[in-house]
Amino acid sequence: MEKKAEPKVYLPKFKFHPGDRFPQTQLKLQDDEWADLTKLEAQWLVLFFYPQDLSPTCSKQACNLQQAYAKLKKKQITIIGISPDDASKHQRFIAKYHLNFSLAIDQDAQLARQLGVFSLKKFMGRVYDGIHRSSFILDHELIIRHIIYPVESGRHDEQILEAIKILENR
């Protein structure tokens, strides 16, 4: 029996697209410090939105990026994960998996809502509001150059590198 495609009602409703300037320039990080995105020196910034710290799929995604961190850094890519979890939970997530990239606090999923990545979802027959796992690739001027959706947690690093390779060859 063929699996039916999910209705569009359960997909993110992106409100910003490639070519748009990212709507926020500061993110509150796990150490309660603020990251000023305008001062990052990397050529590329990848902001990956994920539902919650320490869940199996989110852990798989974070570990994938952690394992590829040196390769991503070599391509001048800065990675920041974003979820609604608080600083304490972000710190536990970082410590458990030895993550060497920052995690930003999106209190009440405000930024995710603004971007359209927080909306109705369906998982195992359950319908609820939540964050759609997605990543925004920004250039050094904070212009969105690509959006990765759907994200494949076990090969997210490859998705990022493939997208940037295409962007660099344009």
Side-chain angles (χ1 to χ4, degrees):
M1 178 177 235
E2 259 185 71
K3 185 179 177 182
K4 289 183 179 179
E6 273 306 326
K8 290 185 189 274
V9 70
Y10 301 121
L11 297 175
K13 317 258 185 306
F14 294 110
K15 297 176 183 174
F16 289 80
H17 301 63
D20 293 339
R21 183 166 173 78
F22 196 74
Q24 192 162 322
T25 59
Q26 298 214 354
L27 297 174
K28 188 173 184 181
L29 301 178
Q30 73 277 351
D31 54 8
D32 284 329
E33 297 292 322
W34 289 88
D36 183 345
L37 302 182
T38 63
K39 294 185 178 169
L40 294 178
E41 295 182 13
Q43 184 174 349
W44 301 101
L45 173 61
V46 175
L47 302 175
F48 73 95
F49 286 80
Y50 64 100
Q52 68 179 29
D53 295 335
L54 302 167
S55 68
T57 306
C58 295
S59 296
K60 181 178 182 178
Q61 179 181 11
C63 289
N64 168 262
L65 294 174
Q66 173 63 28
Q67 291 166 354
Y69 186 78
K71 188 174 18 173
L72 296 167
K73 196 79 173 158
K74 189 175 182 179
K75 294 288 288 177
Q76 295 191 30
I77 301 168
T78 294
I79 302 282
I80 299 177
I82 303 173
S83 85
D85 290 316
D86 63 21
S88 172
K89 195 163 181 194
H90 277 343
Q91 290 166 4
R92 286 195 309 273
F93 194 31
I94 288 169
K96 181 172 183 173
Y97 294 107
H98 308 288
L99 305 178
N100 54 2
F101 50 83
S102 293
L103 300 177
I105 302 161
D106 186 14
Q107 189 169 0
D108 300 322
Q110 292 175 351
L111 181 57
R113 291 173 199 273
Q114 182 180 4
L115 294 168
V117 300
F118 185 96
S119 63
L120 208 55
K121 295 174 68 171
K122 184 176 182 181
F123 181 68
M124 296 181 71
R126 192 175 127 236
V127 176
Y128 61 98
D129 282 324
I131 290 186
H132 292 271
R133 190 179 311 281
S134 50
S135 294
F136 290 77
I137 298 177
L138 285 58
D139 66 17
H140 64 281
E141 295 175 342
L142 303 183
I143 304 298
I144 299 168
R145 293 298 172 199
H146 187 74
I147 299 171
I148 299 174
Y149 181 84
V151 168
E152 296 176 47
S153 297
R155 62 174 296 272
H156 192 40
D157 64 319
E158 294 172 27
Q159 289 179 295
I160 292 167
L161 291 167
E162 289 166 7
I164 287 177
K165 183 178 181 181
I166 291 168
L167 291 167
E168 288 178 334
N169 289 327
R170 283 189 181 163

